[in-house]
Amino acid sequence: MKQIIFLTLLFVTSICSAQITVNGVVKDSIGEPLELANVIAINAQTKAMASYAITNDKGQFKLNLEKNTTYTVQVSYIGMKSASETLSTKETSIEQDYTLQSDNSLAEVELTYEMPVTIKGDTLVYNADSFKDGTERKLEDVLKKLPGVEINADGQIEVEGKVVTKLMVDGKDFFDGDSKLATKNIPSNAVDKIQVLRNYSEVGQMSSVTNNQDNVAINIKLKEGKKNFWFGDVTAGSGIANNDGYYLVQPKLFYYSPKYSINLIGDMNNIGEVALTNRDIRNFGGGFRPPSQSSGTSINLGDNGLNGLSNVASAQEVTTKLSAANFSYSPNKALDISGFLIYNSSRLLTREERFVSYIDSDLGIPDERTIQTGRESTNQGLAKLSAAYKPNANNQLNYDILGRISDDREAQNLLSSVVGNTNQIDAVKPFSINQSLNYYYTLNETNIFAFEAQHLIKDEDPFYNALLVNDPTNNENGFGNDDIPNEDAFDNTADAIGFDRTQNVYNINQDRRIKSNQLDAKLDYYNILNQKSNINLTLGTILSNQKFNSNIFQFLDDGSVFNPEPTINDGLDSNDTEYNFSDIYLGLHYRLKTGKFTITPGVSVHAYGNKNTQFGETYEDNFFRVLPDFETRIQFKKSENLTFRYNMTNSFTDVTKLAEGLVFNNYNSLQAGNPELQNALSHNLRLNYFSFNLFNYTNVYAVVNYNKNIDQIRNRTSFDNIISTSTFFNSSFADESLTAFGRVQRTFKKIRAGLNVSFNYSKNNQFVQDRQTVNESFTQSYTPELRTNFREAPNVSLKYRYSVTNNDQGTNSTTFKTNAPSVEFDAYIFKSFTLRTDYTYTNQDRGSGPSQSFQTWDASLSYRKDQDAKLEYEIKAANILNIDSNVSNGATNISVFSSETFILPRIVTFRLIYTL
């Protein structure tokens, strides 16, 4: 690894040392500097664009050019006559200024070459071809090379540190704006321009009265040859590993015209390459955002699906199928109709070995070693239909409906050093229907009305079954020979719940049903006082109803059903709970622009109503609460700003934490709710800084968050062996968290250097075995990166991730360190071959015992006759080193753990790709 890094740096340094810099200033005829003027250098011999620059607010520019070479330099600015002259470089850098004359035609200047980057107001436009070197296949390959654009660890697009909230193709939503689905499927050869829409507002009428600085959207402009024609690609491949056959079929077809668009994506493989994981689809929001998201109220309806669904990267065997279709249709200029349909099926085989050590021996919890194997199956379906009607500039009506259904099942076999052998089954078939209706009306130049309503119906029916081996002959309490307990590890818990302990197997079963119905609506009125200020009045409501039923029962050895009678929790092991929540609120915000400042103070007054009924009793809590919020933004320059936000949030729990009856989360974790739980109050502060400088290609993003929770809902947990039982209460001890993240990127000639730094501090109070302790955690992470950006030569990316996590549990502390250097290499050889490879070495040190490490190495080699060829042949190898597993170490508030997750073997596939 060290040799690779050294050779790479030597290669890059030798190329960069052959360049000189041309610096200068672009002015108008009276000597005033011109900001955002375009400067292009074209090689006089090859006629290729060699370098480009955009002037800063002082009119300055900088070009990196080869020594002893002749160039044609073009300078342009809208409203000015372009300037063009021949420039010959020598051995030293050059200072060269340019003066542009006025052009009364006010027409845009036609350039020999398109600028790689242009700025038009809040829109940043990248010319995709300027950043391609021939190795790109999908949209994400192009995005990674754009200055200021990143693909984060979750596959989301980040621009200038902000996650892209919507992605469009030729102005039409791509699967409702999902960026991950777009980046991994849209072919790179279809992309002409990438438009970054900063301060994006989906409703033009609202852009002048709302703060949209955190909203970033991307619009992909297609090449002319891709319009009114089907385009895309079809990939088919097969391979073998460990005498097992592997296959891959991925058709991806697209059609775009001015009136309608169609996107079809298919995927069927057993090699672990998926466009969307199970969790991605579960989190696929369909563009729904609660109207009350900025009201200060947060209510959690809960998620009772299978949270344990694994990622394909953590599975030994994977079989997936995906079918996705998306359409849009514009019958006229006033009406747009769109929708999508997604079906996903997956089958996973998993294996994990884990060792858990409990930090405080006084808690009396034994250490545990487990071997867990599982089979997971899921079938998920999503369907959405949207309509937007805009008859004129003053009216817009939007309607959306999203349906979601799933059939998930997870079967696990767990061998525990404490409990023995356990078989578990989790199954759930949830469905939900989400609808939204939005209407925006502009009465006149100073009065705007906006109505937004969202209705959600959700029905979840999780079923749980666990089989635990039991010896009915050793139910006596106490200890036998060699201090070995007479009873099995689960016996005490079984006795407390009321199970029949004379059975050879504890066959535990639990039915649950959670029905949720919620209406979230608000009416906004905006009065524009003048060009610099406006007032916003909001009248809104949240109405929520949840019903929760659960029942615990035991199947005896003879197949009969036994209903236990617990001796704990007041004998309650079932639930029949109804929870009603209401919030009626009135909000007032004033927005003022003065100089570089935009100040938005606000306040909302809430009338809350809570009522839950269970076991014949009603618990009710009605109260008023005033929640302030404040935001101020300092716009230093067009691409540099600082934003501070403060808001107070009132958080409410879901019905499952209110229900008094016992509930199994799994065989070793039970909970019982508290019907008298109250809301939790939190103070939230956020400071953002952003700077994007195209003069020296420097991108800086930093954010600091502080959160303090008052009356936080906490667990009170007691253990019997490793079996935990938790109840909930409002803690009088405040929890705090402080997070900071910073990213700096700068381009030095053909090298892009970057540094990501993050800090995360949290202080939490926990209550275990009737003891209150304070747990503090501090994690710091540093990731420097160097990436080359050559058009002809191979490109290399070097990254090093170093993180340290310190956990302090009062009398005990643990430290975890991770070192992970990585390298990526891609080369376009003889304009026909594309070689790609990436390697990562990960070492984890928990401070005691030997450190653990694993390596990942993937590579591919493809051939196509030229960039216009229809056929491409590819050999791709995953897990070249054929490692069996990945390792990870971590800590909870009361324990430290080490786990080993087994993964797919080395797989080599041969693929044929046909491009339409």
Side-chain angles (χ1 to χ4, degrees):
M1 186 70 185
K2 293 181 179 178
Q3 290 84 350
I4 294 175
I5 294 175
F6 174 76
L7 291 174
T8 302
L9 292 175
L10 182 64
F11 171 70
V12 171
T13 303
S14 64
I15 292 179
C16 292
S17 63
Q19 293 185 319
I20 59 96
T21 301
V22 177
N23 296 287
V25 177
V26 178
K27 303 177 181 178
D28 61 15
S29 58
I30 61 174
E32 292 295 321
L34 295 176
E35 185 179 5
L36 303 181
N38 298 325
V39 185
I40 303 176
I42 302 167
N43 189 297
Q45 181 177 0
T46 64
K47 305 302 180 183
M49 186 180 66
S51 184
Y52 73 95
I54 297 177
T55 57
N56 64 7
D57 59 325
K58 298 178 181 178
Q60 298 172 329
F61 71 91
K62 180 171 63 176
L63 299 172
N64 296 314
L65 301 176
E66 303 293 329
K67 296 178 180 178
N68 303 311
T69 308
T70 300
Y71 298 92
T72 299
V73 177
Q74 291 185 345
V75 184
S76 63
Y77 187 83
I78 294 194
M80 299 283 181
K81 293 180 180 179
S82 63
S84 179
E85 72 172 33
T86 300
L87 179 70
S88 296
T89 61
K90 303 298 182 183
E91 294 291 328
T92 58
S93 296
I94 299 173
E95 294 286 338
Q96 180 68 48
D97 296 340
Y98 295 94
T99 300
L100 301 184
Q101 303 297 323
S102 296
D103 186 351
N104 294 330
S105 66
L106 295 180
E108 291 194 36
V109 177
E110 291 189 9
L111 301 176
T112 305
Y113 283 86
E114 286 194 79
M115 281 290 293
V117 185
T118 56
I119 299 176
K120 299 177 181 178
D122 286 332
T123 302
L124 194 64
V125 183
Y126 295 94
N127 180 42
D129 287 343
S130 300
F131 298 91
K132 297 177 184 177
D133 61 13
T135 62
E136 302 82 12
R137 294 298 182 270
K138 299 301 178 185
L139 175 61
E140 67 175 344
D141 300 326
V142 181
L143 293 175
K144 289 178 180 178
K145 298 179 179 180
L146 306 182
V149 180
E150 291 287 323
I151 305 292
N152 64 23
D154 296 323
Q156 299 170 312
I157 306 172
E158 288 186 8
V159 177
E160 302 165 357
K162 302 169 186 174
V163 174
V164 171
T165 57
K166 179 180 286 290
L167 190 142
M168 299 169 285
V169 178
D170 273 355
K172 298 176 174 63
D173 286 357
F174 187 87
F175 282 93
D176 220 60
D178 183 77
S179 62
K180 186 174 181 179
L181 200 57
T183 58
K184 293 187 175 298
N185 291 283
I186 295 177
S188 61
N189 62 3
V191 180
D192 182 29
K193 300 287 191 301
I194 299 168
Q195 299 175 329
V196 176
L197 311 175
R198 297 179 288 190
N199 301 322
Y200 177 73
S201 175
E202 293 192 50
V203 182
Q205 301 160 256
M206 308 298 295
S207 59
S208 62
V209 294
T210 55
N211 293 331
N212 303 303
Q213 56 265 26
D214 285 338
N215 298 338
V216 179
I218 283 182
N219 182 43
I220 304 299
K221 298 291 291 183
L222 298 175
K223 292 185 175 181
E224 286 301 321
K226 303 299 181 181
K227 298 177 182 179
N228 297 310
F229 293 96
W230 284 96
F231 67 92
D233 54 64
V234 179
T235 302
S238 64
I240 192 169
N242 297 338
N243 297 319
D244 294 324
Y246 290 87
Y247 59 87
L248 171 77
V249 179
Q250 293 179 332
K252 301 170 184 179
L253 305 175
F254 311 93
Y255 183 91
Y256 280 83
S257 73
K259 293 195 71 170
Y260 66 91
S261 68
I262 301 173
N263 303 297
L264 302 174
I265 297 174
D267 181 16
M268 184 170 63
N269 75 81
N270 64 349
I271 62 176
E273 292 186 17
V274 295
L276 291 174
T277 65
N278 293 331
R279 290 182 181 178
D280 289 334
I281 293 179
R282 288 185 62 188
N283 295 328
F284 203 95
F288 283 84
R289 297 178 182 86
S292 62
Q293 63 181 349
S294 59
S295 69
T297 298
S298 173
I299 179 169
N300 178 20
L301 296 183
D303 183 359
N304 299 280
L306 298 189
N307 294 322
L309 286 177
S310 299
N311 196 318
V312 293
S314 304
Q316 284 184 299
E317 294 180 11
V318 178
T319 302
T320 61
K321 298 176 183 178
L322 173 71
S323 299
N326 170 221
F327 82 94
S328 67
Y329 176 56
S330 303
N332 53 58
K333 292 183 179 180
L335 180 62
D336 288 303
I337 302 171
S338 62
F340 64 76
L341 182 67
I342 299 176
Y343 170 74
N344 180 66
S345 172
S346 68
R347 304 292 184 267
L348 307 180
L349 176 65
T350 62
R351 177 183 173 90
E352 181 187 55
E353 297 183 7
R354 174 181 289 245
F355 177 72
V356 180
S357 176
Y358 290 88
I359 298 169
D360 191 344
S361 58
D362 293 340
L363 296 177
I365 310 172
D367 296 341
E368 183 185 26
R369 188 179 299 277
T370 60
I371 300 175
Q372 177 178 291
T373 58
R375 289 190 176 274
E376 301 176 6
S377 65
T378 181
N379 297 282
Q380 300 166 304
L382 286 83
K384 184 183 180 186
L385 182 65
S386 301
Y389 179 63
K390 189 175 182 180
N392 51 56
N394 295 329
N395 291 270
Q396 182 169 336
L397 178 66
N398 298 337
Y399 174 74
D400 302 273
I401 181 169
L402 172 68
R404 185 191 303 264
I405 191 169
S406 182
D407 184 357
D408 304 328
R409 180 183 174 88
E410 182 179 15
Q412 291 183 344
N413 175 265
L414 184 77
L415 181 61
S416 166
S417 61
V418 177
V419 178
N421 192 66
T422 302
N423 290 299
Q424 300 181 87
I425 294 176
D426 282 285
V428 61
K429 295 181 180 179
F431 75 86
S432 65
I433 298 175
N434 203 344
Q435 300 180 79
S436 71
L437 178 67
N438 303 328
Y439 177 60
Y440 307 94
Y441 173 61
T442 301
L443 178 64
N444 50 45
E445 293 182 355
T446 60
N447 296 279
I448 301 174
F449 295 87
F451 174 75
E452 299 177 352
Q454 189 175 134
H455 181 240
L456 172 65
I457 296 175
K458 188 163 64 169
D459 193 335
E460 302 161 298
D461 61 344
F463 170 77
Y464 176 72
N465 169 257
L467 302 176
L468 289 85
V469 175
N470 176 50
D471 184 355
T473 64
N474 65 348
N475 290 334
E476 296 294 330
N477 294 327
F479 293 83
N481 297 330
D482 301 322
D483 291 329
I484 298 176
N486 289 326
E487 69 278 358
D488 297 322
F490 192 74
D491 279 348
N492 287 340
T493 302
D495 185 53
I497 297 175
F499 287 140
D500 187 338
R501 298 173 62 189
T502 65
Q503 305 299 300
N504 293 314
V505 174
Y506 288 121
N507 191 330
I508 304 168
N509 299 269
Q510 176 180 255
D511 282 318
R512 286 185 290 162
R513 188 74 176 267
I514 307 96
K515 294 182 178 181
S516 303
N517 192 327
Q518 180 175 282
L519 174 66
D520 188 343
K522 70 171 182 175
L523 175 65
D524 279 301
Y525 166 67
Y526 296 90
N527 180 253
I528 301 175
L529 302 176
N530 50 55
Q531 292 184 346
K532 294 187 176 182
S533 63
N534 65 69
I535 292 177
N536 170 216
L537 290 173
T538 304
L539 176 63
T541 185
I542 305 174
L543 302 174
S544 176
N545 174 269
Q546 285 191 294
K547 296 178 181 178
F548 176 45
N549 296 278
S550 71
N551 181 44
I552 296 174
F553 58 96
Q554 180 184 9
F555 279 123
L556 303 183
D557 292 346
D558 61 5
S560 60
V561 176
F562 176 74
N563 292 309
E565 296 182 3
T567 59
I568 58 173
N569 196 45
D570 296 327
L572 302 177
D573 67 342
S574 63
N575 287 288
D576 185 5
T577 305
E578 182 171 1
Y579 171 43
N580 289 286
F581 169 85
S582 66
D583 174 22
I584 300 174
Y585 61 91
L586 180 65
L588 172 65
H589 289 83
Y590 175 69
R591 186 166 177 254
L592 172 66
K593 291 184 178 180
T594 172
K596 297 181 179 180
F597 292 83
T598 301
I599 304 170
T600 311
V603 65
S604 57
V605 181
H606 298 254
Y608 291 110
N610 292 283
K611 183 173 71 172
N612 72 86
T613 303
Q614 48 188 313
F615 300 109
E617 292 192 43
T618 298
Y619 302 86
E620 194 166 358
D621 184 21
N622 302 309
F623 63 97
F624 289 89
R625 180 64 51 85
V626 178
L627 301 176
D629 61 88
F630 176 79
E631 176 181 294
T632 184
R633 175 185 172 96
I634 308 174
Q635 192 74 42
F636 299 108
K637 301 175 184 176
K638 289 184 178 180
S639 295
E640 183 183 14
N641 60 67
L642 180 70
T643 304
F644 170 76
R645 290 191 187 94
Y646 165 79
N647 70 288
M648 188 181 293
T649 303
N650 226 13
S651 299
F652 297 84
T653 187
D654 69 307
V655 66
T656 61
K657 288 185 173 61
L658 299 171
E660 292 184 89
L662 286 173
V663 173
F664 272 99
N665 296 315
N666 54 53
Y667 79 93
N668 64 356
S669 174
L670 292 91
Q671 73 173 50
N674 180 354
E676 299 186 44
L677 283 179
Q678 299 178 355
N679 63 286
L681 193 65
S682 64
H683 298 276
N684 311 286
L685 294 90
R686 181 182 178 92
L687 185 66
N688 281 66
Y689 174 77
F690 155 72
S691 174
F692 185 55
N693 192 330
L694 279 173
F695 167 68
N696 54 18
Y697 306 107
T698 301
N699 176 27
V700 180
Y701 175 75
V703 58
V704 179
N705 284 297
Y706 172 75
N707 177 270
K708 183 174 183 179
N709 292 313
I710 303 170
D711 292 330
Q712 176 79 356
I713 296 176
R714 306 297 306 175
N715 297 355
R716 182 181 286 113
T717 305
S718 60
F719 279 85
D720 176 45
N721 278 308
I722 60 168
I723 316 298
S724 66
T725 303
S726 298
T727 57
F728 303 98
F729 71 105
N730 288 99
S731 169
S732 59
F733 298 93
D735 295 341
E736 297 177 86
S737 67
L738 177 67
T739 61
F741 172 79
R743 175 189 294 145
V744 180
Q745 287 182 343
R746 182 161 182 176
T747 300
F748 301 90
K749 298 182 179 180
K750 296 296 183 180
I751 302 176
R752 185 195 297 182
L755 175 64
N756 291 357
V757 179
S758 65
F759 303 97
N760 190 326
Y761 168 80
S762 64
K763 184 182 78 171
N764 296 303
N765 293 271
Q766 72 170 21
F767 302 82
V768 179
Q769 308 292 61
D770 294 324
R771 291 171 50 190
Q772 183 261 333
T773 58
V774 177
N775 300 297
E776 294 181 277
S777 175
F778 178 61
T779 299
Q780 49 187 317
S781 177
Y782 308 88
T783 308
E785 180 181 9
L786 288 175
R787 182 189 304 173
T788 63
N789 189 25
F790 299 116
R791 292 294 302 275
E792 302 294 336
N795 283 296
V796 180
S797 173
L798 301 174
K799 185 183 294 186
Y800 187 92
R801 180 172 60 88
Y802 174 75
S803 65
V804 181
T805 299
N806 300 98
N807 295 299
D808 186 354
Q809 292 92 357
T811 58
N812 300 282
S813 62
T814 56
T815 300
F816 298 93
K817 296 180 180 179
T818 300
N819 293 271
S822 62
V823 58
E824 295 182 13
F825 175 87
D826 64 77
Y828 191 42
I829 307 168
F830 305 131
K831 298 189 182 299
S832 297
F833 293 92
T834 300
L835 174 64
R836 292 180 174 183
T837 186
D838 59 86
Y839 170 83
T840 302
Y841 172 81
T842 303
N843 179 272
Q844 299 179 352
D845 186 356
R846 56 182 293 180
S848 60
S851 62
Q852 297 174 300
S853 63
F854 62 92
Q855 306 172 72
T856 57
W857 183 20
D858 302 325
S860 67
L861 177 65
S862 62
Y863 168 80
R864 62 182 177 184
K865 186 176 180 180
D866 52 54
Q867 293 191 11
D868 297 323
K870 295 291 185 182
L871 288 176
E872 182 173 5
Y873 309 90
E874 183 180 38
I875 298 176
K876 192 167 187 177
N879 191 10
I880 294 175
L881 300 177
N882 201 27
I883 64 169
D884 295 326
S885 59
N886 295 334
V887 296
S888 64
N889 298 280
T892 66
N893 291 339
I894 60 174
S895 66
V896 295
F897 67 85
S898 174
S899 68
E900 183 178 12
T901 303
F902 291 81
I903 62 174
L904 287 164
R906 175 174 55 227
I907 301 175
V908 180
T909 55
F910 174 78
R911 308 179 184 196
L912 178 65
I913 304 165
Y914 178 75
T915 302
L916 277 71

